[in-house]
Amino acid sequence: QVQLVESGGGLVQAGGSLRLSCAASGSGFTVYDMGWYRQAPGKQRELVARITRSGSTNYADSVKGRFTISRDNAKNTVYLQMNSLKPEDTAVHYCYVQAVLANGMRTLDTWGQGTQVTVSS
């Protein structure tokens, strides 16, 4: 079982910053890819940023240059530093963790419960 704890969401004004954190807890697994997705009202869920275990990253075009994803493998934690926030960034943000079970034969795609990011104009 993998449990995710998200933090850092909230309400900010345009131009402000937030840092999201997501920690995976439990035992018997190794975390591989981690990332953040978001879903705005009336929109499909979309990738915001993703990072592999080795540190390779990819970002949605809309956040490139403003957001930075990072991770701490020792803590099984992924971060999303969000700068220069815009109203269009308003969405529920979901942490994603790819967990490989200890036997190496199963992979779990684990999602956080979602944390609201609201950017006012």
Side-chain angles (χ1 to χ4, degrees):
Q1 184 178 0
V2 182
Q3 299 186 53
L4 306 182
V5 179
E6 301 170 331
S7 63
L11 172 65
V12 297
Q13 294 183 333
S17 297
L18 286 172
R19 191 181 77 154
L20 305 183
S21 299
C22 176
S25 63
S27 63
F29 62 88
T30 299
V31 173
Y32 280 77
D33 289 1
M34 308 181 82
W36 293 93
Y37 293 72
R38 68 187 183 188
Q39 187 167 23
K43 305 293 185 180
Q44 294 182 326
R45 185 176 298 189
E46 65 175 352
L47 172 72
V48 179
R50 186 161 171 149
I51 185 168
T52 70
R53 185 173 179 83
S54 62
S56 297
T57 60
N58 65 299
Y59 297 89
D61 288 342
S62 60
V63 308
K64 288 180 180 177
R66 299 188 296 122
F67 292 7
T68 302
I69 190 169
S70 61
R71 63 188 289 166
D72 184 336
N73 289 342
K75 297 180 179 179
N76 281 337
T77 300
V78 62
Y79 307 94
L80 185 68
Q81 179 66 47
M82 303 183 292
N83 297 327
S84 301
L85 283 162
K86 304 175 180 179
E88 51 262 46
D89 295 318
T90 296
V92 178
H93 286 66
Y94 298 91
C95 176
Y96 165 79
V97 170
Q98 181 188 58
V100 176
L101 277 292
N103 64 8
M105 301 300 293
R106 297 176 59 195
T107 299
L108 298 177
D109 293 325
T110 306
W111 294 89
Q113 79 284 354
T115 183
Q116 178 70 45
V117 171
T118 302
V119 184
S120 64
S121 61

